[in-house]
Amino acid sequence: MDFAGAYTSDHLIYLLKGFLVTLEMAAIAIVLSFVIGSLIGVIRYSKIPVLSQLMGVWVELIRNLPLLLIIFFVYFAVPEITGWNMSILTSAIISLTIFESAMIAEIIRGGLNSIDKGQIEASRSSGLSYVQTLWHIVFPQALRRMVPPMVSQFISLLKDTSLTVIIAAPELVHNAQIINGASQQYVIPIFLLVALMYFTVNYCIALFAQRFELKRT
Amino acid sequence: MDLSVIVEHWDRYIEGFGNTVLVSLLSLVLSFLLGSLIAVLRISPIKILRIVSAAYVEFVKNIPLLLIIFFFYYGSSELGLSLDGFTAGTIGLTIYTSAFIAEAIRAGILAVPKGQTEAARSSGLTYGQTMIHIVLPQAIKIVVPPLGNQFLNLIKNSSILGVIAGMDLMYFGDLINSDTLDTVNVYIGVALFYLVLTVPLSFGVRYLEIRMART
């Protein structure tokens, strides 16, 4: 183990660059999968005929497959089917969004379902439309219950970005592997540092969410 | 879509499928044992054990599984061990999953009324005996659905073995793909094999969850 050789400023800057790509990828995928996941969750909750069932099958299918397989499929198979040659980063973000939006859809649906049906009936009979009921009555309450599972899903997503190393996305683990390629002596020191980088960000997200929880209740 | 590739390469699909099942079961048993131990440490009366076990759980939960597996696969030769992909993968999956199982079991233990522990202790049982004979058997029941979910995650996560030549379904899919170049169909085949495992399991878990919610 060569800690001094592993932690040169060049290496540290290179790792940091990789980490920025990781964070950027995660941030974009979080926003996209939150929007798409909410949409799918609401469609399934509202039981819109046909569309709701189709989304149900889609969510079940994606949730029961490994993310790694989805990353492979989007990168290698989708261009073959569609002829669309996307960049590595686009492909990585699409794969992450497909997988995580299915997870988020289930969190949203679960949160919405946990709100007592009597409230919907009461609000509807007070003259609010279905959309108004969802927006003003169901959502604000459900959102509170969704925060803890949503936060752990976001942490999962941040960890899952590491899987895109298999399609050579220039993220943190990829850059770590390139440094490790220079000397076997670097492997353990570099991976320890990389673990610490992931841990720091994820733990801060978890702590922040916990604070937020405590303050509100 | 022409899935004849599954029939032609049936042997290799089945070998990979078997190894995926094997590594998932092996890691489930090992991470259950490790996770139970950590859960008991987390609520033990000794402060230093509580701190160490909590640190383990928090650290492992917040780093990617891939990193743990790479650490053992690439790092082991530096320590003079040189683990193969299957072994490094099993160790990595066990460590990663044990943190989540420990949390599930801890929640289960905390759900057992405190009065039972007090009663057992005042009947003369030691802390260890109380855990093994009184608290854990009851906690296990509460923990079954979350354990099922962890098993589901394990099966999906085991696909990482494909990246380190771990002889699993994903790895053989990769091999078949480089032989046939029939990417779309080869990976649809791989997906079908995973679904055979995960779909019945996730329905089973949901059934248990609903049954538990009723009682």
Side-chain angles (χ1 to χ4, degrees):
Chain A
M1 272 173 264
D2 179 5
F3 279 87
Y7 298 161
T8 62
S9 60
D10 281 356
H11 287 170
L12 296 182
I13 289 169
Y14 194 55
L15 285 180
L16 219 54
K17 271 186 186 158
F19 201 36
L20 285 180
V21 175
T22 291
L23 294 176
E24 189 191 326
M25 221 160 45
I28 298 173
I30 282 174
V31 172
L32 289 178
S33 51
F34 181 74
V35 173
I36 296 170
S38 303
L39 215 65
I40 298 175
V42 170
I43 289 172
R44 291 199 68 199
Y45 173 76
S46 311
K47 302 208 167 61
I48 299 169
V50 187
L51 202 56
S52 176
Q53 278 86 351
L54 277 178
M55 289 298 160
V57 173
W58 171 255
V59 168
E60 270 321 300
L61 176 72
I62 297 301
R63 275 164 54 92
N64 282 304
L65 287 173
L67 172 57
L68 198 68
L69 184 67
I70 295 170
I71 294 174
F72 257 121
F73 200 85
V74 170
Y75 188 67
F76 292 110
V78 168
E80 204 174 293
I81 300 168
T82 61
W84 175 35
N85 279 316
M86 52 194 131
S87 74
I88 291 175
L89 273 183
T90 310
S91 171
I93 289 167
I94 290 175
S95 317
L96 287 167
T97 303
I98 289 175
F99 186 76
E100 309 292 345
S101 62
M103 300 293 186
I104 288 173
E106 282 299 279
I107 296 173
I108 302 265
R109 191 171 71 111
L112 293 175
N113 275 333
S114 75
I115 303 304
D116 188 31
K117 295 276 181 289
Q119 297 205 21
I120 300 167
E121 286 155 17
S123 130
R124 294 281 291 170
S125 51
S126 316
L128 269 71
S129 73
Y130 183 69
V131 176
Q132 281 174 327
T133 305
L134 275 188
W135 192 249
H136 295 292
I137 311 292
V138 182
F139 271 168
Q141 299 181 68
L143 214 56
R144 274 183 210 175
R145 297 184 190 178
M146 289 176 211
V147 170
M150 201 72 90
V151 170
S152 38
Q153 196 56 48
F154 291 159
I155 291 176
S156 285
L157 195 155
L158 205 128
K159 295 190 290 177
D160 285 342
T161 56
S162 65
L163 293 175
T164 61
V165 73
I166 55 160
I167 56 170
E171 45 74 63
L172 182 54
V173 175
H174 176 262
N175 285 10
Q177 284 288 72
I178 287 181
I179 296 172
N180 289 340
S183 163
Q184 176 67 41
Q185 300 289 313
Y186 296 163
V187 175
I188 290 177
I190 290 289
F191 278 155
L192 285 176
L193 182 63
V194 169
L196 206 63
M197 291 165 93
Y198 279 110
F199 173 78
T200 309
V201 171
N202 281 333
Y203 195 62
C204 286
I205 296 174
L207 279 186
F208 182 74
Q210 238 170 39
R211 272 268 172 85
F212 181 71
E213 278 293 286
L214 288 176
K215 245 187 206 160
R216 237 193 18 224
T217 47
Chain B
M1 205 160 70
D2 171 24
L3 295 178
S4 59
V5 69
I6 300 178
V7 183
E8 279 162 39
H9 296 272
W10 183 257
D11 293 353
R12 288 203 277 180
Y13 270 116
I14 288 297
E15 191 180 345
F17 181 75
N19 284 333
T20 288
V21 173
L22 183 66
V23 73
S24 306
L25 282 174
L26 207 60
S27 311
L28 180 70
V29 173
L30 293 175
S31 57
F32 178 71
L33 294 175
L34 187 58
S36 309
L37 176 71
I38 292 161
V40 172
L41 291 181
R42 283 208 67 180
I43 49 163
S44 86
I46 302 160
K47 196 176 177 193
I48 182 78
L49 294 179
R50 284 205 304 271
I51 293 172
V52 171
S53 53
Y56 173 89
V57 168
E58 286 306 325
F59 187 67
V60 172
K61 268 177 70 174
N62 284 309
I63 60 175
L65 167 63
L66 183 82
L67 197 63
I68 303 177
I69 289 182
F70 271 11
F71 184 85
F72 283 97
Y73 186 64
Y74 294 109
S76 60
S77 51
E78 200 177 334
L79 301 172
L81 286 165
S82 282
L83 303 172
D84 62 37
F86 190 85
T87 315
T90 309
I91 296 173
L93 283 168
T94 299
I95 290 177
Y96 185 74
T97 312
S98 72
F100 292 91
I101 289 186
E103 286 295 271
I105 293 179
R106 190 174 71 115
I109 292 174
L110 292 178
V112 177
K114 254 212 145 79
Q116 301 216 10
T117 315
E118 285 158 14
R121 289 304 301 267
S122 52
S123 315
L125 272 70
T126 65
Y127 179 74
Q129 283 172 330
T130 307
M131 274 293 150
I132 292 171
H133 297 294
I134 312 291
V135 179
L136 283 181
Q138 299 182 69
I140 296 288
K141 266 188 224 154
I142 306 168
V143 170
V144 168
L147 274 186
N149 268 325
Q150 285 309 322
F151 188 41
L152 200 61
N153 286 336
L154 249 177
I155 294 171
K156 293 192 286 173
N157 285 337
S158 73
S159 61
I160 291 188
L161 264 72
V163 186
I164 53 167
M167 303 294 156
D168 74 321
L169 186 51
M170 199 69 202
Y171 176 72
F172 276 99
D174 223 15
L175 287 188
I176 299 166
N177 183 38
S178 42
D179 282 357
T180 59
L181 298 177
D182 189 5
T183 313
V184 178
N185 294 317
V186 168
Y187 284 115
I188 289 177
V190 172
L192 290 175
F193 274 100
Y194 275 111
L195 291 175
V196 165
L197 284 175
T198 53
V199 169
L201 189 62
S202 60
F203 276 106
V205 170
R206 202 157 310 157
Y207 171 76
L208 281 175
E209 276 171 351
I210 292 169
R211 237 185 51 174
M212 293 289 284
R214 276 204 200 117
T215 53

